[in-house]
């Protein structure tokens, strides 16, 4: 029996771990420590609250993504009740929240301390759940129930829903454990991500399965300075981070020393090798892994371990994303969907037990993104949109995106979605969104409009009404005529050259 077959779901092992480590610290939130016993009590209370107030037919429940113990307890309570959650970021424009509520079919949203009105759903506060009563047995799961449903950027102004089942999540846990990092109760694990970002799931679920402590970053904190403080003051031992955090910390590398950090993982963006080499002087005792995976394949599914004082696989200065983890099969296809050969580059495909079943209520997108290469493969493969090559020993090199999807602050952003709303706001003017690297080494979005001058501040303000903060362009530029390439298409590289430095 394989590790994946032994872990058809993680609910029972997690609840067992919570009970077994009652005296240990489960969470450190805003400098306040919460024990596993306290977490266990809140999970039990919220389960009773759910049973009393939410109809059994409601399988997906919204959760306001607060940095609060009850937020995490609500997730565990929903899983124990055989339900799933849809995270909703605080500060998301009302129109986008309503769109997610409509697409997901959510009718109830749980908040820990904030009862923000949401169109189409009833918000209920878990603080009203009484802290008494005996623990409940978890509901039986088949593994095919949805554990969480995340909405990512879409190209038409309509977010893409990605459902992840308990079975896929359990497959990720088995694959993570096979990496051999050996998470233990004494570990202190960084959780730097909003709950709308799937990397958050690894950052709380893995430590809770092992009785370790989860150290969160408040939503209103200056993220990189707070992370710096946690790494040193709280002696973090395990940290999953996005590489862009290192750009912010880079001016302070000479002052940072984290000997307690024993495992540092990076995901969500390309990892520059030179930046990592500098960072490694700050974490002298850490194993460093560059991991990769789209939301559609449950958190991450390939891994490459960086070797100190040795040659590492890289492409254009970007560290390799490694080899497929347990239960995942990788491949490369050309533009026609046929297999590419070893040594050639192509679009990376993923298949295996971590794969989503498809986009939520969107058969057209599912059919487009999931293929059976050459009609000869019994397995369905997800087309990642990432250009890669694979060498003879199976190591994957990352060469960049094949389309106009980019990563900003670790979030996937479809430039076409920004353009979609910008065209409407700008009265139909041609709008081109580009991603550039500013003088600080950070990815920055720039919106370029063609035609007569418009009120740039007004356009930004109106975009803020329909898009999350990480998708808002840093600035708007205006050209009377956009440059075209030899094929008569808008010359995006020329725009990036023209506007590629912050002003």
């Amino acid at each position: 029996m394989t590790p994946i077959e032994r872990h058809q779901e993680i609910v029972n092992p997690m609840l067992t771990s919570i009970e077994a480590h009652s005296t240990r610290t489960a969470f450190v939130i805003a400098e306040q420590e919460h024990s596993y016993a306290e977490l266990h009590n809140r999970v039990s209370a919220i389960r009773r609250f759910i049973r009393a107030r939410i109809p059994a037919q409601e399988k997906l429940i919204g959760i306001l993504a607060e940095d609060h113990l009850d937020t995490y307890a609500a997730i565990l309570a929903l899983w124990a009740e055989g339900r799933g959650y849809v995270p909703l970021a605080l500060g998301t424009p009302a129109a986008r929240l309503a769109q997610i509520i409509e697409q997901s079919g959510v009718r109830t949203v749980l908040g820990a301390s904030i009862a923000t009105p949401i169109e189409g759903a009833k918000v209920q506060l878990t603080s009203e759940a009484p802290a008494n009563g005996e623990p409940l047995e978890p509901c039986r799961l088949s593994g095919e129930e949805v554990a969480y449903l995340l909405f990512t950027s879409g190209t038409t102004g309509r977010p893409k829903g990605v459902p992840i089942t308990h079975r896929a999540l359990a497959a990720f846990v088995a694959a993570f454990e096979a990496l051999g990092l050996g998470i233990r109760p004494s570990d202190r694990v960084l959780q730097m991500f909003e709950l709308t970002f799937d990397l958050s799931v690894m950052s709380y679920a893995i430590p809770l399965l092992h009785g370790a402590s989860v150290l969160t970053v408040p939503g209103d904190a200056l993220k990189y300075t707070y992370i710096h403080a946690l790494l040193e003051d709280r002696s973090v031992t395990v940290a999953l981070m996005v590489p862009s955090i290192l750009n912010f910390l880079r001016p302070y590398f000479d002052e940072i020393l984290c000997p307690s950090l024993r495992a540092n993982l990076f995901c969500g963006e390309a990892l520059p090798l030179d930046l990592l080499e500098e960072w490694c002087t700050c974490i002298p005792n850490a194993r460093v892994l560059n991991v990769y995976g789209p939301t559609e394949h449950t958190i991450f599914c390939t891994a490459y371990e960086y070797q100190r004082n040795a040659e590492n696989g890289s492409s254009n200065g970007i560290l390799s994303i490694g080899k497929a983890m347990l239960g995942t099969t990788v491949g490369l296809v050309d533009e026609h969907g046929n297999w590419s050969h070893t040594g050639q580059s192509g679009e990376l495909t993923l298949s295996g037990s971590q794969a989503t079943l498809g986009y939520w209520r969107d058969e057209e997108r599912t059919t487009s993104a999931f293929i059976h290469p050459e009609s000869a493969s019994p397995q369905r493969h997800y087309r990642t949109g990432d250009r890669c090559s694979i060498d003879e020993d199976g190591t994957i090199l990352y060469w960049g995106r094949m389309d106009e999807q980019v990563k900003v602050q670790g979030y996937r952003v479809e430039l076409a979605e920004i353009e979609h709303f910008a065209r409407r706001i700008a009265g139909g003017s041609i709008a081109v969104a580009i991603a550039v690297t500013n003088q600080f080494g950070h990815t920055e979005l720039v919106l370029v409009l063609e035609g007569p001058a418009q009120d740039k501040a007004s356009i930004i303000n109106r975009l803020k009404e329909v898009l999350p903060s990480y998708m808002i362009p840093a600035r708007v530029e205006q050209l009377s005529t956009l440059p075209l390439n030899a094929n008569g298409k808008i010359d995006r590289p020329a725009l990036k050259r023209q506007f590629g430095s912050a002003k």
Side-chain angles (χ1 to χ4, degrees):
M1 183 179 291
T2 69
I4 291 175
E5 289 171 335
R6 290 197 301 270
H7 292 80
Q8 291 302 315
E9 46 87 11
I10 68 171
V11 176
N12 282 325
M14 187 172 290
L15 294 180
T16 299
S17 174
I18 291 172
E19 289 189 64
H21 298 97
S22 60
T23 61
R24 302 193 66 86
T25 298
F27 284 92
V28 180
I29 300 175
E31 298 302 315
Q32 182 177 355
E33 296 188 4
H34 301 275
S35 70
Y36 272 93
E38 185 180 354
L39 174 64
H40 186 252
N41 289 338
R42 292 311 298 156
V43 170
S44 296
I46 295 172
R47 288 185 65 187
R48 286 186 165 76
F49 182 83
I50 290 168
R51 290 187 178 187
R53 299 203 183 187
I54 304 176
Q57 62 268 29
E58 290 188 31
K59 291 297 184 181
L60 284 177
I61 309 299
I63 287 187
L64 289 175
E66 299 179 58
D67 187 43
H68 195 287
L69 182 67
D70 262 18
T71 305
Y72 292 96
I75 291 173
L76 304 185
L78 288 170
W79 286 353
E81 289 297 302
R83 311 198 201 198
Y85 73 96
V86 182
L88 305 171
L90 300 174
T92 300
R96 192 176 183 87
L97 275 182
Q99 195 173 38
I100 291 173
I101 292 297
E102 186 274 327
Q103 285 182 233
S104 65
V106 161
R107 292 293 171 262
T108 304
V109 174
L110 298 178
S113 63
I114 301 173
T116 301
I118 297 176
E119 181 182 344
K122 181 179 181 181
V123 179
Q124 302 203 42
L125 290 179
T126 57
S127 58
E128 298 176 6
N132 53 34
E134 292 298 318
L136 303 170
E137 287 295 316
C139 298
R140 289 185 60 83
L141 296 173
S142 69
E144 301 310 321
E145 291 93 343
V146 174
Y148 58 85
L149 173 63
L150 299 185
F151 283 86
T152 64
S153 178
T155 58
T156 62
R158 183 177 175 84
K160 294 184 291 189
V162 182
I164 298 298
T165 64
H166 284 278
R167 190 181 303 276
L169 182 55
F172 165 76
V173 170
F176 178 89
E177 291 179 348
L179 291 176
L181 294 177
I183 306 300
R184 43 194 182 239
S186 59
D187 277 320
R188 296 169 296 281
V189 182
L190 177 68
Q191 204 303 73
M192 62 163 283
F193 305 103
E194 286 192 8
L195 292 175
T196 53
F197 196 1
D198 66 337
L199 296 184
S200 67
V201 182
M202 175 261 157
S203 299
Y204 70 77
I206 293 295
L208 293 182
L209 280 165
H210 294 276
S213 299
V214 182
L215 284 66
T216 71
V217 177
D220 58 354
L222 188 58
K223 184 163 288 189
Y224 74 93
T225 59
Y226 201 93
I227 290 173
H228 179 188
L230 286 178
L231 289 172
E232 292 195 327
D233 299 344
R234 287 283 184 172
S235 299
V236 168
T237 61
V238 179
L240 173 64
M241 304 160 68
V242 288
S244 58
I245 287 296
L246 298 186
N247 282 317
F248 288 101
L249 292 175
R250 197 172 200 169
Y252 312 101
F253 280 0
D254 290 343
E255 307 168 20
I256 299 174
L257 184 60
C258 306
S260 62
L261 193 65
R262 67 178 189 84
N264 196 180
L265 295 83
F266 291 93
C267 193
E269 297 169 318
L271 179 57
L273 184 56
D274 60 345
L275 180 61
L276 177 61
E277 288 171 341
E278 290 184 44
W279 171 243
C280 280
T281 63
C282 305
I283 53 170
N285 302 317
R287 289 177 61 184
V288 178
L289 283 78
N290 190 31
V291 295
Y292 162 91
T295 304
E296 289 85 349
H297 208 77
T298 312
I299 310 175
F300 55 80
C301 56
T302 77
Y304 183 91
E305 184 158 1
Y306 170 79
Q307 301 298 316
R308 297 173 186 263
N309 304 313
E311 186 175 349
N312 287 275
S314 65
S315 52
N316 291 334
I318 301 301
L319 189 64
S320 167
I321 58 174
K323 298 181 179 180
M325 291 164 55
L326 176 71
T328 290
T329 301
V330 300
L332 297 174
V333 295
D334 61 22
E335 63 272 23
H336 304 296
N338 299 319
W339 291 120
S340 294
H341 300 291
T342 299
Q344 297 179 332
S345 67
E347 183 178 3
L348 185 68
T349 69
L350 303 170
S351 183
S353 49
Q354 290 179 216
T356 181
L357 299 178
Y359 291 112
W360 187 253
R361 298 176 178 173
D362 197 331
E363 187 60 36
E364 183 178 349
R365 275 177 169 161
T366 300
T367 301
S368 174
F370 293 87
I371 60 170
H372 293 269
E374 298 178 341
S375 302
S377 172
Q379 287 186 306
R380 187 182 64 157
H381 287 248
Y382 170 67
R383 302 184 66 156
T384 64
D386 289 318
R387 181 172 294 282
C388 297
S389 59
I390 305 176
D391 63 21
E392 285 79 2
D393 73 349
T395 300
I396 307 165
L397 296 178
Y398 175 81
W399 295 96
R401 292 294 301 168
M402 299 190 70
D403 53 21
E404 290 305 319
Q405 187 185 84
V406 298
K407 287 286 184 76
V408 179
Q409 300 173 30
Y411 289 91
R412 281 192 299 169
V413 173
E414 296 275 4
L415 297 180
E417 183 174 19
I418 300 172
E419 294 166 355
H420 167 79
F421 286 110
R423 285 194 299 270
R424 290 168 51 181
I425 291 169
S429 295
I430 296 176
V432 179
I434 57 175
V436 302
T437 302
N438 64 22
Q439 68 264 40
F440 302 109
H442 307 149
T443 299
E444 183 176 87
L445 297 173
V446 177
L447 179 66
V448 185
L449 299 176
E450 183 182 73
Q454 301 200 39
D455 186 339
K456 298 177 181 179
S458 175
I459 290 171
I460 291 291
N461 288 334
R462 291 185 62 187
L463 285 173
K464 289 179 179 178
E465 296 175 1
V466 293
L467 294 173
S469 59
Y470 61 85
M471 293 180 68
I472 302 301
R475 65 186 194 275
V476 177
E477 302 286 357
Q478 194 86 40
L479 292 176
S480 58
T481 304
L482 293 175
L484 303 179
N485 63 21
N487 296 321
K489 298 179 180 179
I490 294 173
D491 193 340
R492 291 176 181 269
L495 291 174
K496 294 183 73 169
R497 288 191 296 270
Q498 182 173 356
F499 300 112
S501 60
K503 297 180 180 178

